[in-house]
Amino acid sequence: MAMAGAHRPGPLKQQNKAHKGGKHSGSSQRRAGGRVPVKAQPRRRLRDLSRVDRRHQALQLRRQRKEAVLAEKRSLGSRDGPPHLVVVVLLHSRAAAQDTLRLLQSQDSAVVHMNEGRAGGFTLLCPRLKQRWRFVTAQAGDLHTVLDLAKVADSLLFILDPVDGWDSAGEHCLSCLFAQGLPSYALAVPGGTDLPPKKRIDARKKLAKAIEKRFPEAKLFPLNTEQESSLLLRHLSTQKQRHLAFRDRRAHLLAYTAEFVPGQESDLVGTLKVSGFVRGQTLDVNSLVHIVGHGDFQVSQVDAPPDPLSLNPRVVKGQKRSQDMEVQEDPVNGTDEMEEDVKVLMKADPSKQESLQSEVVPDPMEGEQTWPTEEELQEAEDSLKANRRVVKVPKGTSKYQAAWIVDDGEEGSEKDDDEDDDIDDDLMEEAVSQEGESSEEEPGEEESETMTVSECLRDDQYDEKMEEDEQMLERYKQERMDEMFPDEVDTPRDVPARVRFQKYRGLKSFRTSPWDPKENLPRDYARIFQFQDFSRTRKHLFRQIEKEETEGASVGWYITLHVCNVPVSVMESFKEGKPLVLFSLLPHEQKMSVLNFLVRRHPSNTEPVRAKEELIFHCGFRRFRASPLFSQHTSADKHKLERFLRPDAALVVTVYAPITFPPASVLLFKQRSNGMHDLIATGSLLSVDPDRIVIKRLVLSGHPFKIFTKTAVVRYMFFNREDVMWFKPVELRTKWGRRGHIKEPLGTHGHMKCHFDGQLKSQDTVLLNLYKRVFPKWTYDPHVPEPVPWVRSESALPEQEVEME
């Protein structure tokens, strides 16, 4: 009975958690006896570091970074590293160059001087300090020389005027140097001792105030005595080196000597033997080299001649011999003397050597096939019948012409792209230019009949300037109209709008509507290279540079490069005193692709710059000319074309150019009619991406004629009934935010009834947006003419003197 009446728990009985004895972390660690699983060790150790261990780890990291900086300072200019290359930049026409160089040379008796007559510099060897220096002088007005030397310089030494600091040419030079990337620098002020003491103090205060804006926290070094020059040298050797990413990842050198050996076939092309110290990275003989301003070349072999700037005092004869070689104008004799000591380091391997091919050669027959069989012909006929589509073309077009217009969109789009900014899209502008031409021609003929020869010459010269002024005024008008009425064009009266704008399409939404990046590509896209994943390739290459040791000439070695198939003009420019700068190229950097630069208008330039104008690019270590596109910088997949370089926003510049791996700075110049180069924009390389879609927008405008509740009659957008029917599917919008669509045409003169989402105002404007993808022109030219030296203006000098008085 007792068993039958026993209590049994129901389904709602409380279930307490069981005690997990011995499963917490402390007991498991005691049971393990100090043994830790291999996989869990790094994570647990990092997580469970004590406070003392974390401090110790941070201290070790700080020490490692400090040791790396000290090692870099010690290697620069030492026995094992390259000489400390200092570029002396004169920022004022009155800056005392010779006095500065003389003071730097006269250190003490332990310094060895080696004059370089051709390069306009000298070398200092200090065995006591175990330091060696190379000084090269560059005038601020010689823009290419300054920028090329700054690409490879360890330090820049700016020479300022004690009263004015820098003039207009120096200001222009500083703007370009800051945009390109500034290495370590120092500011020296020679002279000023002839001024009275009070004026000297006032001038120094004024100069320090002006320098604060350009060089915050920079120290001014007076340079009038040997002691002051010693302090300046010590500052240059001990200051922290600033890194430029585009040169630190590539081997580069500044030519110390060069020799040209003409080829067997022609004297105009031959082998250039360039000697210098390797900097940046290890130089591989199989990689290509880029001679700045001259192009890409292959290297056949690398030699190891004796170091002409050795710090070893025992090799006095070798030093003297190398000094004689440097002073001689004909470098062949100097190299003949040392041929017995030259040993070949490495020769190029044809199987591993990089190719100079920069473009893909498209095969016009690629994708073609042999004559089709009868079965294939029948299949094609059946598919044509099944997929036949109706295409609207101009009246009177034959079947052959209709097929050609639809299918061969590449040539037509190229022609339209070439002219759309200049003629096709702005018919008013075309009429204005035609009127201007006719009005210019008529008075020219009358003047030639009545005036004498001398007066004609003067007036022609004057009229040239007037024509430039008129062209500039017209550009200002166009830029102003584009700001007030962005992308708006007038509908042509003589050509149907459906024919004039047949390559444009309407989009439901510019932001979200899809656009295939591979659709209707131009023929130039068959010539370029494209990466499957550019960022992944770039990361892989940079990881290889940092971790893997490449075979070749190490940093600090004095070598001779045998560069193949170099034109004789390279040697001629070197003899004229121009610097010869070489950069080794990373893989793929000789190949053409589509480069996108993110730039901002430079505040010193206010003239209108139109898209597709020829500009001069300084990208990293390259110089070239091209006609770019401008587009908005957004995170969307489509980017609107800008017709002018905007002064108030960052824009993306798209151009065909050789591949360059970012980071790389970019400077945009525009050449004046007198040969001077104006800096118009600065920025950096954004991407190498041919799939970046640049969309050109056209806006057709109409005016409400009769307004009802939500409908309105709109006129002046089209001028015939067929155009209204053709553009009926495209959505309308107004300047005041209404949206709508075309319901039906009214009459035969382009009036149309439109329905909107609200009532229009009589002063509102109805807009219709059309879109077309555009591509840059293939106008890449690697040969950039030397700029005319910048005109120095010292108009502020009298005012400054008056103020000081």
Side-chain angles (χ1 to χ4, degrees):
M1 290 293 290
M3 289 294 292
H7 173 70
R8 294 183 180 178
L12 300 177
K13 181 179 183 295
Q14 178 180 341
Q15 296 286 338
N16 294 327
K17 287 182 180 178
H19 175 61
K20 299 179 181 178
K23 293 185 180 179
H24 55 279
S25 59
S27 64
S28 64
Q29 284 177 2
R30 283 195 297 272
R31 271 201 311 274
R35 293 188 301 275
V36 183
V38 177
K39 287 185 179 178
Q41 183 178 1
R43 195 173 295 171
R44 290 190 67 84
R45 190 181 71 239
L46 285 173
R47 192 190 308 142
D48 297 338
L49 277 177
S50 67
R51 186 180 176 188
V52 177
D53 291 338
R54 284 199 304 272
R55 280 188 174 181
H56 183 60
Q57 191 180 45
L59 181 65
Q60 284 179 323
L61 288 172
R62 278 202 305 273
R63 278 180 181 164
Q64 286 175 5
R65 293 193 192 105
K66 192 175 179 180
E67 285 296 327
V69 172
L70 287 173
E72 184 186 16
K73 282 183 185 177
R74 292 187 189 113
S75 65
L76 185 62
S78 66
R79 188 191 307 274
D80 301 324
H84 192 136
L85 179 59
V86 180
V87 175
V88 182
V89 183
L90 309 177
L91 292 182
H92 201 283
S93 56
R94 293 201 307 263
Q98 294 302 322
D99 297 343
T100 303
L101 301 182
R102 203 176 298 113
L103 278 171
L104 290 170
Q105 288 174 17
S106 59
Q107 291 302 303
D108 52 37
S109 58
V111 177
V112 180
H113 305 287
M114 299 177 66
N115 292 322
E116 299 172 21
R118 188 169 52 246
F122 62 93
T123 305
L124 281 180
L125 300 178
C126 305
R128 184 173 57 82
L129 302 173
K130 297 182 179 177
Q131 285 280 319
R132 48 185 181 170
W133 309 76
R134 188 177 175 200
F135 290 85
V136 183
T137 312
Q139 293 285 342
D142 193 353
L143 186 63
H144 282 182
T145 300
V146 173
L147 291 179
D148 290 350
L149 287 172
K151 288 178 174 70
V152 292
D154 296 314
S155 301
L156 295 181
L157 179 58
F158 293 116
I159 307 298
L160 280 66
D161 182 68
V163 178
D164 301 325
W166 52 80
D167 54 13
S168 59
E171 175 70 26
H172 180 66
C173 174
L174 286 175
S175 299
C176 298
L177 285 174
F178 272 87
Q180 177 178 270
L182 205 62
S184 305
Y185 62 87
L187 305 175
V189 186
T193 53
D194 53 341
L195 291 172
K198 188 177 184 305
K199 284 191 176 183
R200 200 182 311 166
I201 294 169
D202 291 343
R204 188 168 179 79
K205 284 181 181 177
K206 190 173 183 179
L207 190 57
K209 193 173 182 181
I211 281 170
E212 278 180 10
K213 297 177 183 177
R214 273 286 189 186
F215 306 96
E217 300 177 3
K219 185 183 176 185
L220 272 175
F221 285 87
L223 199 58
N224 297 310
T225 62
E226 291 184 17
Q227 186 180 5
E228 288 173 344
S229 66
S230 300
L231 286 173
L232 177 61
L233 278 179
R234 178 172 291 186
H235 172 72
L236 286 171
S237 61
T238 55
Q239 69 177 346
K240 185 180 178 183
Q241 293 298 308
R242 300 175 67 171
H243 293 275
L244 299 180
F246 76 87
R247 76 177 185 189
D248 285 348
R249 291 194 173 98
R250 298 168 179 86
H252 56 275
L253 62 87
L254 175 65
Y256 190 73
T257 60
E259 178 193 357
F260 183 76
V261 180
Q264 297 178 352
E265 298 178 359
S266 171
D267 292 341
L268 299 176
V269 178
T271 301
L272 186 68
K273 298 179 182 179
V274 184
S275 301
F277 292 90
V278 181
R279 301 170 184 272
Q281 295 288 334
T282 303
L283 194 144
D284 184 12
V285 69
N286 293 314
S287 62
L288 300 177
V289 295
H290 176 81
I291 301 179
V292 176
H294 298 282
D296 305 333
F297 304 95
Q298 287 181 327
V299 178
S300 59
Q301 79 178 47
V302 178
D303 298 340
D307 188 347
L309 306 180
S310 175
L311 281 170
N312 192 342
R314 289 174 295 179
V315 198
V316 179
K317 290 182 181 178
Q319 287 182 0
K320 186 179 180 185
R321 197 165 51 196
S322 62
Q323 179 180 357
D324 295 340
M325 176 192 71
E326 193 62 34
V327 171
Q328 286 168 358
E329 291 189 6
D330 184 11
V332 179
N333 301 333
T335 49
D336 284 342
E337 286 181 24
M338 300 172 65
E339 268 182 6
E340 56 191 23
D341 300 330
V342 173
K343 58 179 180 181
V344 178
L345 276 181
M346 60 200 84
K347 291 196 174 184
D349 184 357
S351 60
K352 297 179 182 178
Q353 200 170 22
E354 285 279 345
S355 168
L356 277 171
Q357 182 189 5
S358 62
E359 299 177 22
V360 179
V361 181
D363 183 6
M365 301 302 291
E366 188 177 2
E368 296 291 329
Q369 56 183 3
T370 54
W371 189 258
T373 61
E374 291 182 4
E375 299 166 0
E376 289 173 340
L377 284 171
Q378 188 60 40
E379 283 179 16
E381 188 68 28
D382 295 342
S383 65
L384 267 176
K385 288 177 182 175
N387 299 324
R388 194 177 297 278
R389 53 179 177 168
V390 179
V391 180
K392 290 194 177 183
V393 294
K395 193 174 179 180
T397 308
S398 66
K399 287 184 180 178
Y400 167 75
Q401 287 173 322
W404 176 74
I405 287 173
V406 172
D407 296 332
D408 196 5
E410 295 169 358
E411 289 185 8
S413 67
E414 278 183 22
K415 183 181 177 184
D416 191 54
D417 284 347
D418 290 343
E419 299 174 356
D420 49 19
D421 278 338
D422 302 327
I423 300 171
D424 289 344
D425 292 343
D426 296 324
L427 293 178
M428 280 181 64
E429 179 188 325
E430 180 184 6
V432 167
S433 65
Q434 286 177 353
E435 287 174 13
E437 286 174 12
S438 61
S439 63
E440 283 169 11
E441 286 171 9
E442 289 170 4
E445 293 171 359
E446 292 174 5
E447 287 169 5
S448 64
E449 292 174 358
T450 57
M451 291 189 178
T452 60
V453 177
S454 59
E455 288 174 343
C456 254
L457 285 172
R458 282 191 224 136
D459 285 344
D460 285 347
Q461 291 170 0
Y462 187 79
D463 284 344
E464 284 178 9
K465 295 179 181 177
M466 292 304 295
E467 286 172 13
E468 288 180 11
D469 289 347
E470 286 175 8
Q471 291 172 4
M472 189 59 65
L473 177 63
E474 188 61 34
R475 285 188 181 183
Y476 277 118
K477 283 182 181 178
Q478 293 168 13
E479 187 179 36
R480 179 70 178 148
M481 289 294 288
D482 192 51
E483 286 178 9
M484 294 171 62
F485 308 101
D487 302 322
E488 285 192 39
V489 297
D490 291 332
T491 309
R493 301 292 298 270
D494 54 344
V495 182
R498 63 188 182 278
V499 176
R500 167 65 186 85
F501 305 122
Q502 61 185 340
K503 291 174 185 166
Y504 291 81
R505 68 180 76 172
L507 293 178
K508 177 72 175 172
S509 166
F510 182 80
R511 187 177 61 85
T512 59
S513 296
W515 197 300
D516 185 6
K518 303 296 183 186
E519 176 187 2
N520 286 340
L521 297 177
R523 288 187 176 175
D524 287 334
Y525 264 51
R527 301 163 63 183
I528 64 171
F529 292 83
Q530 185 172 4
F531 293 93
Q532 190 171 0
D533 188 344
F534 177 73
S535 58
R536 183 180 174 186
T537 307
R538 175 177 168 271
K539 284 180 184 175
H540 176 66
L541 275 175
F542 288 176
R543 202 177 294 124
Q544 275 186 330
I545 292 170
E546 289 174 6
K547 294 183 178 179
E548 297 181 11
E549 292 186 3
T550 55
E551 293 183 358
S554 299
V555 177
W557 288 9
Y558 184 76
I559 61 168
T560 300
L561 289 177
H562 293 243
V563 189
C564 306
N565 300 322
V566 179
V568 71
S569 58
V570 180
M571 188 64 194
E572 289 171 355
S573 70
F574 181 65
K575 285 181 177 178
E576 290 171 3
K578 301 289 182 184
L580 193 59
V581 179
L582 280 76
F583 275 85
S584 69
L585 297 182
L586 298 177
H588 314 297
E589 283 197 325
Q590 79 280 15
K591 299 172 182 174
M592 295 291 289
S593 189
V594 178
L595 270 63
N596 302 300
F597 306 102
L598 180 61
V599 303
R600 189 175 285 273
R601 183 83 170 262
H602 196 262
S604 66
N605 187 272
T606 55
E607 294 181 3
V609 180
R610 191 165 181 155
K612 296 187 180 178
E613 282 187 42
E614 185 180 74
L615 300 178
I616 295 168
F617 289 74
H618 288 236
C619 172
F621 52 87
R622 289 187 188 275
R623 281 199 296 268
F624 57 88
R625 291 185 289 177
S627 302
L629 293 179
F630 303 143
S631 59
Q632 291 180 351
H633 178 49
T634 61
S635 58
D637 61 339
K638 295 182 288 295
H639 311 273
K640 192 179 85 68
L641 177 82
E642 291 286 353
R643 287 177 167 80
F644 290 89
L645 188 63
R646 300 289 179 199
D648 54 349
L651 293 181
V652 175
V653 174
T654 303
V655 73
Y656 290 111
I659 292 166
T660 304
F661 289 99
S665 58
V666 63
L667 288 76
L668 268 65
F669 291 89
K670 188 176 177 181
Q671 186 167 354
R672 290 191 204 167
S673 56
N674 61 3
M676 290 172 62
H677 290 183
D678 283 336
L679 180 65
I680 60 169
T682 60
S684 59
L685 177 60
L686 179 66
S687 65
V688 180
D689 184 15
D691 286 344
R692 189 177 190 275
I693 301 174
V694 179
I695 301 291
K696 180 179 182 179
R697 182 180 73 173
L698 281 189
V699 179
L700 304 182
S701 58
H703 302 277
F705 177 46
K706 294 177 183 177
I707 299 173
F708 305 100
T709 309
K710 284 193 176 182
T711 60
V713 179
V714 178
R715 61 180 176 180
Y716 302 147
M717 185 176 286
F718 303 109
F719 298 102
N720 59 67
R721 187 183 185 91
E722 290 78 10
D723 284 346
V724 178
M725 295 300 295
W726 179 267
F727 289 101
K728 189 177 178 181
V730 184
E731 189 181 24
L732 301 175
R733 66 180 181 88
T734 73
K735 286 192 176 181
W736 287 20
R738 300 268 71 88
R739 291 188 172 273
H741 58 274
I742 302 170
K743 287 186 74 174
E744 58 182 355
L746 298 175
T748 59
H749 291 282
H751 289 206
M752 55 189 185
K753 185 188 287 186
C754 304
H755 185 80
F756 294 92
D757 57 358
Q759 187 168 7
L760 290 187
K761 303 289 184 184
S762 60
Q763 61 267 42
D764 204 352
T765 306
V766 182
L767 305 174
L768 182 140
N769 291 346
L770 297 174
Y771 302 95
K772 180 186 75 168
R773 185 178 178 185
V774 291
F775 302 91
K777 294 180 182 179
W778 193 290
T779 54
Y780 171 77
D781 183 5
H783 303 291
V784 176
E786 287 287 332
V788 173
W790 189 264
V791 177
R792 297 178 181 272
S793 63
E794 300 180 7
S795 57
L797 288 177
E799 295 176 12
Q800 289 185 355
E801 288 175 8
V802 168
E803 287 175 7
M804 288 183 61
E805 287 175 3

